């Protein structure tokens, strides 16, 4: 192994900055996070919910190593995960067994117990000095990566470094794990040349096929992380825009309907930094339903009507996102949805304080998103607000210890920057590893709410016109 491209066994060594070979250029995949816009808690009880992409995203830089470097390295500095495996020591024979082997175009609806078992010795060495929740997060991410790598790759795969960065808060209910799973899935499928495009003239049906292929394997990654995921987060991360989600029978797959004409809208996302338990909030609504079944059912049905109204608006033949009434109607529905969630007892004083601050300035429509009891709010910004008004609100939020993100609702899904070159300059792994903060990552990769996305390409699954 040459000194210029030596990589320490623990993954901390830096590669010299030399140009990528034309055969295997470095490239980046990216996928968005998500928020629940309408239908929290009602969705647990068989009602519909709408989830939409946000422009906070995850990014995976794939760097191919020289032929002599028979290793794969997973680096995720935002959670301090850094691990390297020797390719030839991985359990290829188990994954290649005809009874276990899946093709890249297969639909996988459950993890194979034999494959899961074969991974365990290779996961037990990940972050051995950590414990508790941090170790669980590291091993879940490593599990998703390895399961997909061994399922889609082969022992002849070149050595690679897979470096992840995310502008999404981890564990905040914003779909960060699904975003990462889509990045992994799309990167590996590109490496095995199982995807076509994306390109501007790609037919809609062909683009849909590519996105569905990415989404299917991202769902496998989500199963590695969560066990029994709903599938909504990875579907939003792959498709972008928004989806209608409904699960009336938990013994059957949910109904997930992409809303491809969902408008791109300016959004202020605010994290209360108040810890919350989804299970606790869901149980709270369950207890209320037991104590007051008829009243609770009416509230849940009202939330369902809110979701249906939003769905009817964005799928109407006469729908126009340029119409100023669109924001007003969607915002009013968000206000109603929040009020109904308050009546279920799943808000929190910190959530209500954010709503109070927004209402005092009068620049948008605010609701909690996700389970409540803490977590985050989303504010749909009015189209006619003045910069000074938003700056005034952001100063007040900062002063009270809230974490805020200016983002966009209903944006692009999975995308790729191939090669990893922006404005004529290659994005080097060292810079990708070391850049600080969400804004720094977005500026480096040229993708996000603050930057024009020149060079990035997305599989477009939206009808033209």
């Amino acid at each position: 192994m040459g000194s210029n491209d030596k990589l320490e066994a623990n993954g901390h060594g830096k590669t010299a900055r030399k140009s990528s070979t034309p055969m295997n250029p470095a490239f980046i995949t990216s996928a968005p996070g998500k928020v629940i816009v309408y239908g929290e808690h009602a969705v647990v009880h068989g009602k519909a919910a709408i989830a939409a992409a946000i422009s906070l995203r995850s990014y995976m830089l794939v760097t191919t190593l020289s032929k002599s470097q028979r290793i794969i390295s997973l680096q995720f500095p935002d959670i301090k995960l850094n691990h390297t495996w020797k390719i030839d020591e991985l359990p290829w024979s188990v994954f290649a067994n005809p009874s276990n082997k899946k093709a890249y175009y297969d639909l996988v609806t459950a993890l194979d117990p034999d494959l899961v078992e074969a991974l365990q010795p290779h996961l037990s060495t990940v972050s051995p000095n950590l414990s508790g929740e941090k170790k669980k997060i590291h091993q879940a991410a490593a599990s998703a990566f390895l399961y997909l790598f061994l399922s889609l790759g082969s022992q002849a795969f070149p050595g690679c470094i897979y470096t992840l960065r995310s502008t999404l808060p981890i564990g905040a209910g914003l779909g960060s794990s699904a975003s990462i799973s889509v990045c992994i899935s799309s990167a590996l499928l590109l490496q095995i040349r199982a995807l076509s495009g994306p390109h501007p003239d790609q037919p809609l049906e062909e683009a849909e096929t590519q996105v569905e292929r990415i989404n299917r394997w991202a769902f496998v990654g989500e199963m590695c992380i969560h066990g029994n995921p709903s599938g909504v987060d990875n579907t939003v991360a792959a498709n972008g825009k928004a989806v209608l989600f409904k699960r009336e029978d938990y013994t059957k797959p949910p109904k997930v309907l992409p809303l491809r004409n969902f408008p791109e809208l300016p959004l202020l996302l605010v994290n209360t930094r108040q810890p919350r338990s989804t299970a606790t909030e869901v149980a709270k609504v369950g207890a209320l339903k037991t104590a007051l079944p008829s009243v609770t059912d009416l509230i849940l049905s009202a939330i369902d009507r809110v979701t249906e109204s939003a769905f009817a608006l964005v799928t109407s033949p006469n729908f126009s996102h340029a119409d100023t009434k669109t924001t007003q109607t969607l915002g009013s529905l968000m206000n109603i949805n929040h009020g109904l969630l308050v009546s279920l007892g799943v808000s929190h004083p910190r959530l209500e304080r954010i709503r109070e601050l927004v209402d005092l300035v009068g620049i948008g429509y605010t609701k909690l998103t996700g389970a409540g009891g803490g977590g985050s709010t989303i504010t749909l910004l009015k189209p006619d607000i003045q910069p000074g008004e938003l700056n005034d609100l952001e100063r007040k939020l900062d002063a009270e210890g809230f974490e805020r993100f200016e983002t966009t609702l209903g944006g692009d899904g999975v995308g790729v920057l191939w090669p990893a070159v922006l404005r004529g300059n290659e994005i080097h792994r060292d810079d990708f590893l070391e850049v600080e903060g969400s804004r720094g990552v977005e500026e480096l990769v040229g993708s996000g709410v603050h930057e024009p996305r020149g060079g990035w390409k997305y599989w477009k699954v939206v009808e033209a016109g």
Side-chain angles (χ1 to χ4, degrees):
M1 190 182 299
S3 60
N4 284 343
D5 48 20
K6 180 180 179 182
L7 181 75
E8 299 294 334
N10 64 5
H12 289 290
K14 292 184 179 179
T15 55
R17 291 190 173 181
K18 59 180 185 179
S19 299
S20 302
T21 63
M23 290 289 291
N24 294 296
F27 68 95
I28 304 175
T29 58
S30 175
K34 72 92 179 65
V35 292
I36 304 294
V37 189
Y38 306 102
E40 295 93 338
H41 287 285
V43 72
V44 178
H45 299 274
K47 312 297 185 183
I50 292 177
I54 54 176
S55 56
L56 300 176
R57 304 175 68 93
S58 298
Y59 303 89
M60 173 172 269
L61 172 66
V62 181
T63 311
T64 303
L65 301 172
S66 65
K67 289 183 179 179
S68 63
Q69 292 177 286
R70 299 289 298 150
I71 60 171
I72 52 166
S73 182
L74 180 62
Q75 302 183 342
F76 193 174
D78 299 304
I79 62 170
K80 297 181 172 57
L81 168 60
N82 198 322
H83 194 80
T84 298
W85 296 270
K86 294 180 179 178
I87 293 174
D88 297 320
E89 293 181 359
L90 293 173
W92 293 106
S93 60
V94 182
F95 276 76
N97 188 304
S99 63
N100 299 329
K101 182 64 178 175
K102 299 292 184 184
Y104 68 84
Y105 49 78
D106 283 338
L107 173 63
V108 180
T109 58
L111 299 180
D112 187 316
D114 293 340
L115 304 185
V116 172
E117 182 179 357
L119 286 183
Q120 297 315 304
H122 306 277
L123 295 175
S124 63
T125 57
V126 174
S127 304
N129 297 325
L130 291 182
S131 60
E133 189 65 21
K134 288 185 177 179
K135 184 169 186 175
K136 181 180 176 182
I137 291 171
H138 282 206
Q139 295 203 334
S143 172
F145 171 75
L146 270 190
Y147 197 104
L148 266 61
F149 180 80
L150 285 158
S151 295
L152 293 170
S154 71
Q155 195 166 351
F157 227 66
C160 291
I161 305 172
Y162 298 87
T163 309
L164 272 163
R165 295 302 305 267
S166 185
T167 62
L168 287 158
I170 305 298
L174 301 177
S176 59
S177 68
S179 173
I180 290 164
S181 292
V182 169
C183 287
I184 296 170
S185 168
S186 55
L188 293 171
L189 287 165
L190 283 166
Q191 284 188 289
I192 65 171
R193 294 177 168 80
L195 296 175
S196 64
H199 55 81
D201 300 323
Q202 190 166 32
L204 175 64
E205 185 176 344
E206 183 181 292
E208 288 177 341
T209 300
Q210 312 315 304
V211 171
E212 179 56 25
R213 189 167 291 163
I214 294 166
N215 189 31
R216 285 181 175 186
W217 282 103
F219 181 68
V220 176
E222 282 284 86
M223 285 193 286
C224 292
I225 295 169
H226 296 295
N228 184 31
S230 68
V232 64
D233 286 12
N234 51 278
T235 301
V236 174
N239 284 271
K241 306 308 281 183
V243 301
L244 180 80
F245 172 80
K246 192 170 187 177
R247 194 170 199 169
E248 296 175 288
D249 184 347
Y250 274 76
T251 65
K252 297 178 182 178
K255 172 187 175 183
V256 181
L257 177 66
L259 303 179
R260 290 169 176 155
N261 291 318
F262 195 89
E264 287 195 33
L265 299 165
L267 195 75
L268 181 66
L269 188 149
V270 182
N271 182 5
T272 63
R273 302 184 193 263
Q274 175 66 38
R276 86 282 187 268
S277 163
T278 297
T280 297
E281 300 306 313
V282 169
K284 192 184 295 183
V285 176
L288 186 65
K289 189 175 181 181
T290 300
L292 298 168
S294 60
V295 174
T296 306
D297 282 342
L298 283 172
I299 297 170
L300 296 173
S301 294
I303 292 174
D304 194 40
R305 293 297 296 271
V306 167
T307 304
E308 289 176 354
S309 297
F311 174 77
L313 174 64
V314 299
T315 57
S316 167
N318 300 320
F319 174 72
S320 171
H321 65 82
D323 189 340
T324 56
K325 291 184 178 178
T326 295
T327 299
Q328 183 179 350
T329 302
L330 292 174
S332 296
L333 290 170
M334 287 173 61
N335 280 344
I336 295 167
N337 197 160
H338 181 83
L340 292 166
L341 290 168
V342 171
S343 69
L344 289 175
V346 296
S347 189
H348 184 276
R350 293 278 285 172
L351 293 167
E352 296 307 312
R353 178 57 178 160
I354 296 169
R355 277 182 51 82
E356 181 182 14
L357 289 171
V358 174
D359 288 348
L360 285 171
V361 182
I363 62 172
Y365 310 89
T366 302
K367 67 178 285 292
L368 68 84
T369 182
S376 301
T377 65
I378 52 174
T379 297
L380 180 60
L381 297 173
K382 294 179 179 178
D384 56 350
I385 65 171
Q386 300 301 311
E389 294 175 319
L390 182 58
N391 292 338
D392 180 50
L393 172 62
E394 291 181 337
R395 281 193 297 271
K396 291 176 180 177
L397 291 168
D398 292 346
E400 298 195 21
F402 296 109
E403 182 182 27
R404 57 178 172 79
F405 303 88
E406 286 183 54
T407 182
T408 302
L409 188 70
D412 289 313
V414 59
V416 60
L417 182 65
W418 183 304
V421 175
L422 193 67
R423 308 180 195 97
N425 298 312
E426 184 174 355
I427 298 174
H428 292 283
R429 187 174 65 89
D430 292 347
D431 292 334
F432 194 68
L433 277 169
E434 294 169 4
V435 66
E436 295 184 3
S438 298
R439 185 65 180 265
V441 172
E442 287 181 352
E443 290 176 348
L444 179 66
V445 302
S447 178
V449 71
H450 301 292
E451 281 280 332
R453 287 171 255 181
W456 281 91
K457 294 182 174 62
Y458 302 87
W459 283 273
K460 294 293 186 180
V461 291
V462 182
E463 294 84 350

